[in-house]
Amino acid sequence: MTSPDKAGRRSFLKGSIAIVPVAAVGTASAVLRPTADEIKRSAPPPDTPAQQHYQPGYFTPDEWAFVNAACDCLIPKDQVGPGAVELGVPQYIDRQLQTGYGDASRWYMHGPFQKGAPEFGYQSKLTPKEQYRLGIRAIDAYCKAHFSGKSFAQLEKAQQVAFLKDVEGGKIQDDFNMKSFFSGFLLKNTMEGYFGDPMYGGNKDMGSWKMIGYPGARADYVEWVSESKPYPYGPVSQYGKRG
């Protein structure tokens, strides 16, 4: 949530993400290439947008309210482009937690679990599913204790943003380590769902790709790499759908 000094957060994203190749806009379960079954369970059919009245398969109603509120804080809709909720990012996160990613099925999850430098990889016995369940529980408990019994989703938008900034900055001390959950899962997964291929359940109608002028999975656009003007054609998803 930290903004560059001379540019708005969304403008910064628009300028920096536009040059990232499609392979780099990964998804949570793509440590290895996802299986066909995982893709089928995590994504809607190629011509079906994220449903307005989507029913979460993993999150409880209170957790779902948190995820929607948090995603809206991280990437809100504004004059630059669509917001995370509008592009189905909460749905993306819920779907991913129902794949092997949610159970950490492709991660080494045996002990010993010790604190270590980032280059040593993930050091926790908690799966992504458990991170979300316990992380949301810890955040809501803290909010209720410090905001007159209100959960995170019940706070005013300005309060939510200020709280997440404090979490990101490590200003809130807690037993669960909300900062690690925020940076390692919530923020990361929100970015994935917003900028990833729609086949994974987010980035509805390739809205973020249109915003930054990203061509998507087009076979050839080398001649435009050195051009200073915007790419003139709409994006293409890995399903072949054109934006």
Side-chain angles (χ1 to χ4, degrees), residues 67-82:
V67 172
N68 277 269
C71 286
D72 189 48
C73 287
L74 294 175
I75 308 181
K77 179 180 180 180
D78 60 17
Q79 70 278 7
V80 177

Side-chain angles (χ1 to χ4, degrees), residues 95-108:
R95 287 180 171 125
Q96 288 297 307
L97 292 180
Q98 296 174 72
T99 68
Y101 166 73
D103 295 317
S105 62
R106 298 185 178 188
W107 299 3
Y108 183 84

Side-chain angles (χ1 to χ4, degrees), residues 159-177:
Q159 292 177 307
Q160 293 174 343
V161 172
F163 175 78
L164 291 180
K165 285 183 177 179
D166 286 344
V167 170
E168 182 186 31
K171 296 181 180 180
I172 297 178
Q173 302 299 318
D174 67 291
D175 295 333
F176 178 73
N177 194 349

